[in-house]
Amino acid sequence: MRGLIGIGGILALATLGLVEHSNAQEALSQRDAQGPVSVTITLTAPPVIGVPVNARVALDTHSVDLDSVRFEEAVTLKDSGGAERHPISVEQARGGGHHREAMLVLPAPIRAGRLSILVRGVGGIAVRQFYWDVASR
C-alpha cells in the first residue's frame, strides 16, 4: 500500500510539473487570428531588462500570399518607454505562400514594465499587438 501511495505521489508531482511547464510555455506564446492571417509569436524566454528578445513569428493563412511580408519591416518591439525598434536580425526564415515563419532577435528592453511586439500590415490588419511583462534581472 505504501508503495502505491509513493508511486501515486510521484506521478502527481510529475503531472504538476508538466502542467506548470505547459503554462509557462503558453505564457510565452500568443496568437492573433484577426482577418485571413493568423499570427503567432512565441518567445524563447520571458523578457528581461538588458537581454535581447528572441521571438519566433509564424504567419498562417489559407487565402493570402505571404511571400511579400518582410519580417524586418512588419515587426517592431515597443517597450514601456514608448520607443519602437526594429529587429536586430531575422534568422531561420522559412516557408512561403500560405505559411511563413522566422526567428527574430529584437532589441533588449531597457526598463521594466510592459513590452509590446507589434505586427503591422499583415493580412489587412493595420496593427496587431502582443504583450509581455519585462522582468528586472
Side-chain angles (χ1 to χ4, degrees):
M1 182 72 171
R2 227 179 229 173
L4 289 176
I5 293 172
I7 292 171
I10 291 170
L11 289 174
L13 288 174
T15 301
L16 181 60
L18 290 174
V19 169
E20 286 178 8
H21 177 72
S22 176
N23 288 341
Q25 284 300 105
E26 287 175 14
L28 294 176
S29 186
Q30 295 183 26
R31 183 172 182 264
D32 181 309
Q34 295 181 70
V37 178
S38 171
V39 177
T40 303
I41 298 181
T42 304
L43 305 184
T44 60
V48 177
I49 293 173
V51 178
V53 176
N54 293 309
R56 177 157 310 283
V57 179
L59 310 176
D60 292 295
T61 184
H62 293 289
S63 60
V64 176
D65 183 5
L66 298 171
D67 288 335
S68 65
V69 175
R70 296 179 43 94
F71 289 103
E72 61 274 12
E73 294 174 5
V75 179
T76 58
L77 177 140
K78 183 177 177 181
D79 65 20
S80 60
E84 281 190 49
R85 297 177 285 163
H86 287 277
I88 297 167
S89 66
V90 176
E91 304 170 354
Q92 303 171 15
R94 61 180 172 243
H98 298 299
H99 308 285
R100 293 193 57 214
E101 69 176 61
M103 177 63 75
L104 277 62
V105 178
L106 297 159
I110 56 176
R111 60 181 56 91
R114 180 167 269 189
L115 169 138
S116 303
I117 295 179
L118 308 173
V119 179
R120 287 194 166 81
V122 174
I125 305 301
V127 180
R128 300 170 200 244
Q129 294 188 324
F130 302 83
Y131 299 101
W132 288 271
D133 291 324
V134 176
S136 56
R137 289 185 185 222

